[in-house]
Each structure stands twice: as structure tokens, then as C-alpha cells.
């Protein structure tokens, strides 16, 4: 995949393909099978920035070491010029080893990864707005949380429209948004504290246009990357559509691996599955600056997504695996130990074996089809003597 664009003079036209633009001095560059004609001056000025994205990790720290191995691979590919990002739902809806500590292990894992930018997903709000703002989005965690379509009330003082990073001399703006259908996936008690001020797509366009208008006083970016916690297909098919000032889009929310989607101007839209089973790694080749910048997006390792199942097979056959920061494994082991100790503490007992198919079992536990989550605990406490 190769996408190349150039900022135009029009604010909303944004970037346009270079094909058809008259050039006196050109050089032919071969990029993964695609031939692109580019100005000699642009090639001489070219800088490379690498973005590595995950989404919908949901506290699956058991896959944290694999994610770290892929981020390390990306860092070695472009040393000092690689940034790790998330398209939301980093925490929340998590397995017990992370959930029992309110996802502290996951936030620590993100620190090991060097993840410093994320869209806010719906699950970041599982414990309410105050918990998100004061604990998850606390500055000490080192993550800039983004959602341009959420009104930034005092309760959202740690939420931002965008985060600007200078990487390899390039100003990269990450602009975030959460799904427009937030009210359908949040409880009413939490949603009452959240105000969506516009659609995700229009909000991203608003911020991207401001960062691409040539006015340095209100912020100016050389590259705009959108992090949207919503379905890649919904983004691609949106009636308004992301405009030409967005160079790359990372999506989320559906837990699916989705590639081959694009904005109307051709920018890639990539959704990297869930649970740390996939990482998207893209190179951005940038020349010029501001509204005069040229941006080419290509897959760093030849494919849009690195999938855990595929890399496990490759590393097994090769007899080696990428280096992993030891701290990632330490976090997993410590979280598992805590979870086992906490999970071994009895909360109650019953006088005879539980059989949910029997009459007493149905009376005690209702028609609960499985013995999952915490659903049986109230019934156990009510029908069995407390200890």
C-alpha cells in the first residue's frame, strides 16, 4: 500500500494526488511496486516517521509481550522516529488479572511500550467520567487522551482534541474522536456527563483544517493522523467524509482486522483488530512543511497489519523472536500472582454442591446460563452462610 498526497491551496481540498501536477525536475521512486514521480527537492528533504497502532486492547496483558516485540521491531526499523498510538479501549472490559486492579497493569504495560497517544474509547468510561479523567487520564500515566467530538467540560480537563509531536523534524498532529453511537454503549448514568458536540468525522475535519490553514498562530501540522474509536467501514462510508487534510486513519471499536479502506482523498483507514492480536505499522515519508508538505504513506513491513498468529509461526520457524523488554513479562507475572491470590479468597460458601440444572440451583441463581463473571455472587451470599 502506497498513498501519496500534497496540500493544496484550498483549505478543505487539503491534499491532492501529485499525478497531473507539472514538474520540471523529477525522480522516479519505486515503492513496493508502485512508481511515483516526485520533485527532486522533495526527495532531498524527505523525512521518515513511523507510526505503530493498536486498538481495543481491553487489558489483555497476556499479549503485552508480543505487542512490545512488534513495537521494538518498529523502533529498530526507524530508530528514534517511531511513535506508538492507540485507537481507544486500551482499558475496560478486561480479563481478571488486569480488571481486579482497575487496569493498573495495563497502564503500566502501556508505559513499557512507550504508548503516549490514544483516542478515548467507550470502555475508558466504564467507571465513569471522573474515574477516566482523574485516574486513567492522569498526566502521570504519560498518555495524551483525545476526543475532539466530546465537549471538554471541567470533568474532562485531561481530554484533548489533538496532540502534536515533533518526530524527525516533522510536526505530526494526532487528532482523536470517539464513536457517534456512544450513548448505545454507555450506561445512562455515565452518558449524562458526556456531551458529543458533533460527529466524529466533522470534528476530525474541523481540527485538521485548523492545523492545515497556514496560520502558525493557531497551530500548524506537517502531517495529520486521525485516531477514531469507530468502525473503519463507518468512517469510510460517512456522508460527510474525512477531508484531504488527513493523511492516515486508525480506526477501532469493532474488534475486526480491516484494511483496504480509504478516505475520499485516498488516505488509508486501518483497523487493527483487538486484544493485542494485531499491530499496524506505517511509514510516513514527509517533505516540505505545513500546507506545502508532501506525505507518502506506506506499510513499514509490506503489509498493513502484523498479526500475532502469523508472527508466532514465523518466529517459530526461524528459531528466534524479537527482543522484548523484560518489564513487560514482569508486569504479567505480577498481575497473575495478584489475581490468583485475590481470586482464592472465599466470598461465601454453600451447604451442598451447586447444580444449576437442579431446582435449588435455579431458585438460587435464576436462569443464568453460565457461571460467569460475578453474576452468582449475590445469590451465593444470600443463600449460603457468610464466612
Amino acid at each position: 500500500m502506497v498513498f501519496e498526497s500534497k496540500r493544496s491551496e484550498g483549505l478543505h481540498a487539503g491534499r491532492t494526488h501529485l499525478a497531473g501536477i507539472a514538474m520540471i525536475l523529477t525522480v522516479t521512486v519505486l515503492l513496493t511496486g508502485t512508481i511515483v514521480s516526485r520533485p527532486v527537492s522533495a526527495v532531498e528533504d524527505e523525512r521518515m516517521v513511523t507510526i505503530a497502532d493498536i486498538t481495543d486492547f481491553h487489558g489483555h496483558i497476556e499479549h503485552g509481550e508480543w505487542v512490545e516485540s512488534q513495537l521494538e521491531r518498529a523502533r529498530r526499523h526507524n530508530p528514534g522516529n517511531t511513535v506508538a498510538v492507540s485507537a481507544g479501549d486500551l482499558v475496560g472490559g478486561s480479563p481478571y488479572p488486569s480488571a481486579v486492579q482497575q487496569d493498573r497493569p495495563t497502564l503500566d504495560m502501556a508505559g513499557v511500550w512507550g504508548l503516549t497517544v490514544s483516542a478515548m474509547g467507550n470502555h475508558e468510561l466504564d467507571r465513569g467520567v471522573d474515574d477516566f479523567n482523574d485516574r486513567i487520564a492522569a498526566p502521570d500515566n504519560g498518555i495524551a487522551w483525545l476526543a475532539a467530538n466530546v465537549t471538554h467540560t471541567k470533568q474532562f480537563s485531561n481530554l484533548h482534541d489533538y496532540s502534536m509531536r515533533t518526530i524527525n523534524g516533522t510536526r505530526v498532529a494526532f487528532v482523536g474522536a470517539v464513536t457517534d453511537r456512544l450513548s448505545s454503549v454507555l450506561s445512562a448514568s455515565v452518558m449524562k456527563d458526556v456531551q458529543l458536540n458533533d460527529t466524529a468525522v466533522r470534528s476530525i475535519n474541523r481540527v485538521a483544517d485548523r492545523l492545515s490553514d497556514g496560520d502558525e498562530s493557531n497551530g500548524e501540522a506537517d502531517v495529520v493522523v486521525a485516531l477514531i474509536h469507530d468502525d473503519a467501514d463507518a468512517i469510510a462510508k460517512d456522508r460527510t467524509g474525512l477531508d484531504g487534510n488527513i493523511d492516515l486513519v486508525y480506526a477501532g471499536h469493532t474488534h475486526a482486522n480491516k484494511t483496504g479502506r480509504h478516505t475520499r482523498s485516498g488516505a488509508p483507514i486501518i483497523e487493527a483488530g483487538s486484544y493485542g492480536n494485531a499491530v499496524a505499522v506505517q511509514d510516513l515519508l514527509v517533505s516540505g512543511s505545513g500546507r506545502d508538505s508532501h506525505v507518502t504513506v506506506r506499510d513499514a513491513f509490506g503489509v498493513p497489519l502484523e498479526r500475532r498468529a502469523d508472527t508466532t509461526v514465523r518466529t517459530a520457524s526461524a528459531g528466534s523472536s524479537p527482543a522484548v523488554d523484560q518489564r513487560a513479562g514482569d508486569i504479567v507475572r505480577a498481575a497473575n500472582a495478584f489475581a490468583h491470590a485475590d481470586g482464592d479468597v472465599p466470598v461465601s460458601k454453600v451447604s451442598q454442591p451447586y447444580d444449576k440444572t437442579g431446582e435449588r440451583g435455579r431458585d438460587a441463581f435464576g436462569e443464568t446460563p453460565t457461571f460467569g463473571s460475578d453474576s452468582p455472587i449475590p445469590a451465593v451470599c444470600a443463600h449460603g452462610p457468610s464466612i
Side-chain angles (χ1 to χ4, degrees):
M1 174 193 70
V2 176
F3 166 69
E4 183 159 359
S5 61
K6 177 183 182 295
R7 291 182 189 265
S8 71
E9 296 302 318
L11 176 61
H12 297 289
R15 305 177 192 274
T16 57
H17 289 97
L18 289 179
I21 298 176
M23 296 174 288
I24 298 175
L25 295 175
T26 64
V27 61
T28 298
V29 181
L30 183 62
L31 295 175
T32 64
T34 300
I35 297 178
V36 182
S37 293
R38 314 183 62 212
V40 170
S41 60
V43 174
E44 292 174 348
D45 180 42
E46 191 171 81
R47 296 95 64 196
M48 186 167 80
V49 173
T50 300
I51 313 295
D53 164 78
I54 65 168
T55 190
D56 294 271
F57 185 69
H58 289 290
H60 277 261
I61 56 173
E62 73 275 14
H63 297 160
E65 291 177 275
W66 179 80
V67 172
E68 165 60 16
S69 73
Q70 298 309 299
L71 296 179
E72 177 61 19
R73 184 185 182 202
R75 290 189 289 263
R76 292 185 178 188
H77 166 71
N78 191 8
N81 303 313
T82 299
V83 59
V85 304
S86 164
D89 278 5
L90 176 69
V91 299
S94 306
Y96 190 71
S98 185
V100 70
Q101 297 187 67
Q102 298 184 10
D103 282 312
R104 184 69 255 170
T106 299
L107 294 171
D108 291 342
M109 184 72 75
V112 171
W113 295 338
L115 191 151
T116 59
V117 183
S118 180
M120 183 187 75
N122 53 287
H123 275 281
E124 267 76 45
L125 299 173
D126 278 355
R127 296 176 180 270
V129 171
D130 290 340
D131 178 75
F132 165 75
N133 191 72
D134 301 338
R135 188 177 64 85
I136 295 172
D140 288 349
N141 289 326
I143 302 174
W145 291 92
L146 313 175
N149 59 333
V150 173
T151 300
H152 298 169
T153 61
K154 289 183 179 180
Q155 284 183 285
F156 279 113
S157 60
N158 289 325
L159 185 66
H160 312 280
D161 287 353
Y162 72 97
S163 180
M164 186 81 74
R165 305 298 165 90
T166 300
I167 309 163
N168 198 11
T170 303
R171 297 169 296 182
V172 182
F174 296 96
V175 187
V178 67
T179 176
D180 299 338
R181 295 170 291 281
L182 191 60
S183 62
S184 69
V185 290
L186 275 188
S187 68
S189 62
V190 176
M191 194 65 203
K192 67 179 177 57
D193 295 325
V194 185
Q195 301 171 30
L196 296 182
N197 53 48
D198 207 341
T199 68
V201 166
R202 286 199 295 263
S203 297
I204 295 287
N205 285 342
R206 167 177 54 82
V207 177
D209 291 347
R210 188 175 78 242
L211 297 172
S212 308
D213 63 3
D215 183 357
E216 295 286 349
S217 67
N218 64 14
E220 194 72 3
D222 306 320
V223 176
V224 176
V225 177
L227 306 175
I228 306 178
H229 192 71
D230 206 354
D231 176 18
D233 289 316
I235 297 168
K237 297 174 182 178
D238 184 86
R239 290 184 178 181
T240 300
L242 291 170
D243 69 30
N245 285 321
I246 291 94
D247 300 291
L248 175 61
V249 183
Y250 290 117
H253 195 46
T254 71
H255 294 201
N257 293 325
K258 295 187 178 183
T259 63
R261 281 72 166 173
H262 300 86
T263 66
R264 292 177 183 178
S265 62
I269 304 173
I270 302 170
E271 188 168 348
S274 63
Y275 304 159
N277 285 315
V279 177
V281 185
Q282 277 63 48
D283 289 333
L284 286 71
L285 307 178
V286 186
S287 60
S289 63
R291 66 190 306 176
D292 296 320
S293 65
H294 303 240
V295 180
T296 300
V297 180
R298 70 183 184 189
D299 300 319
F301 302 120
V303 291
L305 292 174
E306 289 292 315
R307 299 189 305 172
R308 189 171 63 89
D310 295 340
T311 58
T312 300
V313 171
R314 286 203 303 269
T315 54
S317 61
S320 63
S321 59
V324 176
D325 191 316
Q326 181 180 335
R327 294 174 298 167
D330 291 342
I331 290 169
V332 175
R333 286 186 287 273
N336 284 337
F338 184 95
H340 280 299
D342 187 79
D344 284 342
V345 176
V347 295
S348 186
K349 66 180 180 181
V350 293
S351 57
Q352 55 186 295
Y354 163 66
D355 179 4
K356 69 178 180 181
T357 64
E359 183 176 349
R360 284 177 58 84
R362 287 194 298 270
D363 289 343
F365 295 98
E367 297 300 322
T368 305
T370 63
F371 200 43
S373 188
D374 290 336
S375 57
I377 291 178
V380 171
C381 294
H383 291 269
S386 179
I387 59 173

